[in-house]
Amino acid sequence: MRGIRQLIVREFAILLSILLLGIGCRGTGKIMPVKVEGFLESSGGMELNGEVVDICADGSKVLVLDGSGARVLGYDSGFAIVETIPLSIRLVGPRGIYADRYYIYVYDDKTLYRLAKDKLLMSAWLNNVRVEGLAGFSPGEVLVSDGERQMVWLKSLFGESRAFLDRTEIKSPKAMAVFPEGIFGILAERNRLVKINRAGIITESLTLPMDVNLLAADSKGRAMVMRRGEPALFVITDKKIQGYELQGTLNPQALAVIGNRLVILDGARRILFYLLPGK
């Protein structure tokens, strides 16, 4: 099994090296060489009692959306449950979760819900939307990538919606992440990582040689990119891409960054932690 995973990572890196020879980075125009760093060992993990569908960072905690659509669980760095949040509206076919300073956001196939942390009141916040990704714009305000309308919305604190990016600016927006200094990352189409500023201006665009659908960012501004179901992590900076095999994970379904750790939802019943590579 380990030999197969090594082969996946190495072949992916070779393909990246070949294709990126002619691909520059919008805004910098620099070529980004690929370097395979090897393996990342898990620094710990926990088995979950039931199936979950998604995870997200909430400060130093990991929030877990239960597969029943009836609750959210919070785990601390010691793998202990620190809170159980019942959802007053049960999600049918729950798909994802996100959190900012004041709110928790959960969604299914058609509706984005918002839950105030202080009152635990849950309400439908955006209807008839296929949420593909969320990113905190400011406390209580989020960017929403909408797979149904193929655009990115800015949802304000009081519920107003306005178009932030439309399909003429970005095609098929998917997972999103918040980068330092007011920059947001969006996975678009099948293989693009696009960075935008708070004015909705694209500042950087990178074409990747394969389909990716998982994205997170760390405090250094590095992008963590994966493909769901594949144990290969690629760390993207302004000048290079580094590849790693995540040992111990069999079927990664979601990722988050908490401090200096990468959090992986492996399958539907296990969470693994990895120290982020580099200094």
Side-chain angles (χ1 to χ4, degrees):
M1 179 66 71
R2 177 170 176 171
I4 295 175
R5 292 179 184 169
Q6 289 175 321
L7 183 61
I8 291 173
V9 174
R10 289 170 182 167
E11 288 185 349
F12 189 14
I14 291 172
L15 182 58
L16 278 168
S17 299
I18 293 172
L19 294 182
L20 285 175
L21 287 176
I23 298 174
C25 184
R26 182 174 177 176
T28 65
K30 295 180 179 179
I31 300 300
M32 304 200 311
V34 172
K35 184 177 181 181
V36 178
E37 296 291 345
F39 308 95
L40 293 181
E41 297 277 356
S42 173
S43 60
M46 54 188 169
E47 298 290 335
L48 304 172
N49 292 328
E51 292 190 355
V52 303
V53 296
D54 197 18
I55 61 174
C56 76
D58 184 20
S60 61
K61 298 180 298 185
V62 180
L63 295 185
V64 173
L65 178 58
D66 193 84
S68 68
R71 63 179 183 169
V72 170
L73 301 175
Y75 291 86
D76 64 14
S77 59
F79 314 131
I81 295 179
V82 293
E83 60 183 338
T84 299
I85 303 171
L87 299 180
S88 57
I89 302 174
R90 184 166 184 166
L91 303 181
V92 178
R95 293 183 54 239
I97 185 171
Y98 183 76
D100 62 19
R101 184 175 178 180
Y102 300 111
Y103 297 95
I104 297 171
Y105 307 85
V106 294
Y107 53 91
D108 55 23
D109 283 336
K110 296 182 179 180
T111 306
L112 172 63
Y113 298 88
R114 187 174 72 170
L115 177 70
K117 291 181 178 179
D118 58 345
K119 299 178 181 179
L120 298 183
L121 296 177
M122 181 179 175
S123 60
W125 206 43
L126 189 59
N127 294 303
N128 300 317
V129 61
R130 173 77 178 183
V131 177
E132 298 292 348
L134 296 170
F137 190 77
S138 60
E141 298 185 324
V142 294
L143 296 176
V144 183
S145 59
D146 182 355
E148 182 71 23
R149 298 173 181 82
Q150 300 295 301
M151 62 189 304
V152 176
W153 300 97
L154 173 57
K155 193 73 173 170
S156 75
L157 177 63
F158 300 105
E160 295 87 355
S161 303
R162 71 172 177 86
F164 193 73
L165 294 171
D166 62 29
R167 66 182 65 192
T168 65
E169 299 166 296
I170 187 168
K171 296 180 180 179
S172 302
K174 295 180 173 56
M176 306 180 73
V178 179
F179 287 76
E181 301 180 356
I183 297 297
F184 306 93
I186 308 173
L187 292 182
E189 300 173 61
R190 297 181 56 189
N191 59 349
R192 289 182 65 211
L193 172 61
V194 178
K195 291 184 179 180
I196 59 174
N197 60 22
R198 294 181 65 85
I201 298 172
I202 296 176
T203 61
E204 190 174 26
S205 180
L206 173 67
T207 300
L208 300 174
M210 68 178 297
D211 191 358
V212 290
N213 47 31
L214 298 178
L215 172 67
D218 69 0
S219 60
K220 299 177 182 179
R222 299 182 299 177
M224 312 289 163
V225 177
M226 297 181 67
R227 182 170 65 180
R228 190 173 287 109
E230 298 289 344
L233 169 72
F234 288 87
V235 181
I236 304 174
T237 64
D238 288 337
K239 298 180 180 179
K240 60 184 177 179
I241 301 178
Q242 297 171 298
Y244 303 87
E245 178 198 330
L246 298 181
Q247 293 191 321
T249 181
L250 301 175
N251 185 23
Q253 294 297 306
L255 78 162
V257 171
I258 298 178
N260 65 345
R261 296 200 296 175
L262 180 74
V263 187
I264 297 290
L265 173 61
D266 187 34
R269 291 179 176 267
R270 187 167 67 147
I271 293 178
L272 297 173
F273 294 85
Y274 297 84
L275 289 177
L276 291 175
K279 297 181 180 180

